[in-house]
Amino acid sequence: MNHALSHSNRLDATFAALSDPTRRAILARLANGEVSVMDLAKPFSMSQPAISKHLKVLERAGLISGIKDAQKRLRKIEAKPLAEATEWLENYRKFWEGRFNQLDSLIEELKLSKQTSPKRKNKKGE
């Protein structure tokens, strides 16, 4: 039970972190490789403390980690939380895909029954 709860908490943290467009943009930049905090902050019109808050949210969610490289503070993306979120979403994708396939089958069945049933005359005999 504790494992499920911690997995749930990790998913909550991941989706909460991903809910913000700035944090998603930071992750997109980090997907290309390690980046310094200063370089991460450049494209955003916000203060360094504001960027640091976003980075802390991403770090708490386990989506990024810090690396010390001489004088730079680098950040890199961590794949595990994203893989867990993708796995969770994949279950729902499979569910909805099955439902859509059922709907497609029903539509095809209705089309076939409409084509094979004789045309009915209306009350005027037309």
Side-chain angles (χ1 to χ4, degrees):
M1 180 93 169
N2 285 343
H3 178 349
L5 185 59
S6 64
H7 182 260
S8 178
N9 286 340
R10 285 195 310 269
L11 280 175
D12 290 348
T14 297
F15 286 120
L18 294 173
S19 69
D20 184 273
T22 300
R23 293 191 287 267
R24 290 192 305 271
I26 290 170
L27 285 176
R29 292 211 49 219
L30 291 174
N32 295 322
E34 301 165 357
V35 180
S36 73
V37 173
M38 293 301 288
D39 287 338
L40 280 173
K42 283 180 185 175
F44 303 103
S45 58
M46 58 180 66
S47 67
Q48 182 64 35
I51 288 292
S52 292
K53 286 180 182 180
H54 285 295
L55 294 175
K56 285 178 185 174
V57 171
L58 292 167
E59 286 173 351
R60 279 194 302 267
L63 292 165
I64 65 170
S65 61
I67 304 168
K68 294 195 180 210
D69 179 29
Q71 298 172 2
K72 292 182 182 177
R73 293 179 355 211
L74 299 175
R75 294 294 184 270
K76 71 174 189 169
I77 196 167
E78 295 293 337
K80 187 177 179 185
L82 291 172
E84 289 174 345
T86 299
E87 182 181 325
W88 185 84
L89 289 168
E90 180 65 15
N91 291 325
Y92 290 95
R93 186 196 63 78
K94 288 177 184 176
F95 169 79
W96 284 111
E97 189 174 85
R99 292 296 177 116
F100 289 135
N101 287 339
Q102 288 175 343
L103 184 58
D104 286 343
S105 296
L106 178 61
I107 290 170
E108 284 304 312
E109 187 179 309
L110 291 171
K111 283 180 183 177
L112 286 174
S113 69
K114 189 175 182 180
Q115 289 173 356
T116 58
S117 66
K119 294 193 177 205
R120 296 183 186 177
K121 292 182 179 180
N122 64 21
K123 291 181 182 180
K124 294 180 182 178
E126 297 173 358

